[in-house]
């Protein structure tokens, strides 16, 4: 019997690194921002609630998975999304999966505190 | 791989299936799991709407309802971007008895045969043609 947490039962073996890279909500946010246009880590740090250093770490993980590439432009490093349907599809799947993880967890909490039923804690 | 795009999640809930169905579809409960602005009219051709965490409003239609077993709907983000996800998508929620609890399976997939990658086919047309 599975635990109470949602689990991913989809995915494809060859895409393991891509899905692992997209398992993190901050990295999904980074990918989402890069779908609009290429950006620098500092630029993304303005819009995300994490440090530039943390974003740089996420970006290097995304680059290892082949999701982003980088170019040096003057003193800045510009990151862009690797333009392949695979990346778009994987990013879509990570987004949709993240939404369902959130909804199912909310549903579980809703059921757990139903006033018609004693709570599991007692 | 556009045609195979699908996301599946399973969760075992330690509650009877009728209770899970009620929590899913009861108007007073929908907002608690689908989001504060959510609408889910769990009747055939009923309205569905919710706000995604990226801010996009998603709207759609219930295709088929079989209480307390199965709910199928099709929805799409209101504003579509050319590089965006393959939409509209079909969502199927299935409840299966598992011991004294319930196994909830949700599968969201590109509305196969209706969504053309990069094509002009709009959500409205797909919603009219998709079947449960």
């Amino acid at each position: 019997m599975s635990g109470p947490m949602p689990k991913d039962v989809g995915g494809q073996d060859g895409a393991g690194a891509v899905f692992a890279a997209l398992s993190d909500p901050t990295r999904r946010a980074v990918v989402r921002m890069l779908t609009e246009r290429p950006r620098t880590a500092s630029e993304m740090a303005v819009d995300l609630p994490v440090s530039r250093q943390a974003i740089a770490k996420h970006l290097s993980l995304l680059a290892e998975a082949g999701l982003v590439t980088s170019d040096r432009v003057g003193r800045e490093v510009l990151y862009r999304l690797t333009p392949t349907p695979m990346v778009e599809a994987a990013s879509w799947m990570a987004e949709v999966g993240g939404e369902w993880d959130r909804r199912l967890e909310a549903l579980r909490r809703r059921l757990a505190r139903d006033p018609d039923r004693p709570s599991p804690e007692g | 791989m556009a045609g195979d795009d699908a996301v599946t999640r399973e969760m075992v809930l330690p509650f009877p299936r009728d209770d899970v169905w009620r929590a899913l579809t009861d108007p007073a409960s929908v907002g608690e799991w689908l989001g504060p602005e959510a609408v889910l009219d769990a009747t055939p051709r009923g309205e569905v709407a919710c706000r995604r965490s990226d801010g996009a409003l998603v709207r759609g239609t219930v295709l088929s309802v079989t209480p307390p077993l199965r709910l199928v709907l099709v929805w799409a983000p209101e504003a579509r971007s050319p590089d965006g996800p393959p939409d509209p998508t079909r969502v199927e929620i299935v409840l299966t008895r598992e011991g004294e609890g319930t196994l909830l399976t949700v599968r969201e997939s590109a509305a196969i045969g209706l969504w053309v990658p990069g094509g002009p086919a709009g959500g409205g047309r797909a919603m009219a043609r998709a079947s449960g």
Side-chain angles (χ1 to χ4, degrees), chain B residues 12-86:
Chain B
V12 176
L13 294 154
F15 305 101
R17 188 161 57 178
D18 287 342
D19 291 5
V20 175
W21 181 264
R22 191 161 45 92
L24 269 176
T25 57
D26 190 58
S29 161
V30 164
E32 292 192 48
W33 72 271
L34 198 51
E37 296 169 72
V39 176
L40 172 55
D41 171 8
T43 56
R45 292 180 298 283
E47 184 193 355
V48 186
C50 79
R51 179 84 57 189
R52 275 193 328 216
S53 51
D54 66 358
L57 185 67
V58 182
R59 285 186 177 283
T61 307
V62 171
L63 296 177
S64 121
V65 202
T66 317
L69 310 176
R70 185 168 172 265
L71 175 71
V72 183
L73 58 92
V74 63
W75 63 13
E78 225 172 24
R80 306 179 70 221
S81 103
D83 302 321

Side-chain angles (χ1 to χ4, degrees), chain B residues 65-119:
Chain B
V65 202
T66 317
L69 310 176
R70 185 168 172 265
L71 175 71
V72 183
L73 58 92
V74 63
W75 63 13
E78 225 172 24
R80 306 179 70 221
S81 103
D83 302 321
D87 49 339
T89 53
R90 178 183 187 275
V91 175
E92 178 172 15
I93 298 173
V94 175
L95 303 184
T96 315
R97 280 209 189 102
E98 181 155 317
E100 298 188 353
T102 304
L103 170 67
L104 184 155
T105 307
V106 58
R107 178 182 158 89
E108 179 159 356
S109 53
I112 292 166
L114 300 166
W115 176 69
V116 182

Side-chain angles (χ1 to χ4, degrees), chain A residues 63 116 121:
Chain A
D116 296 338
E121 285 79 27

Side-chain angles (χ1 to χ4, degrees), chain A residues 15-60:
Chain A
V18 170
F19 285 102
L22 290 169
S23 64
D24 177 89
T26 303
R27 288 197 289 276
R28 288 201 296 275
V30 165
V31 167
R32 193 157 60 228
M33 292 174 81
L34 293 178
T35 58
E36 294 160 14
R37 59 182 169 79
R39 292 171 200 253
T40 65
S42 323
E43 212 183 329
M44 285 187 276
V46 174
D47 292 324
L48 293 170
V50 290
S51 67
R52 198 198 66 81
Q53 287 78 9
I55 288 177
K57 258 186 206 171
H58 287 304
L59 283 164
S60 77

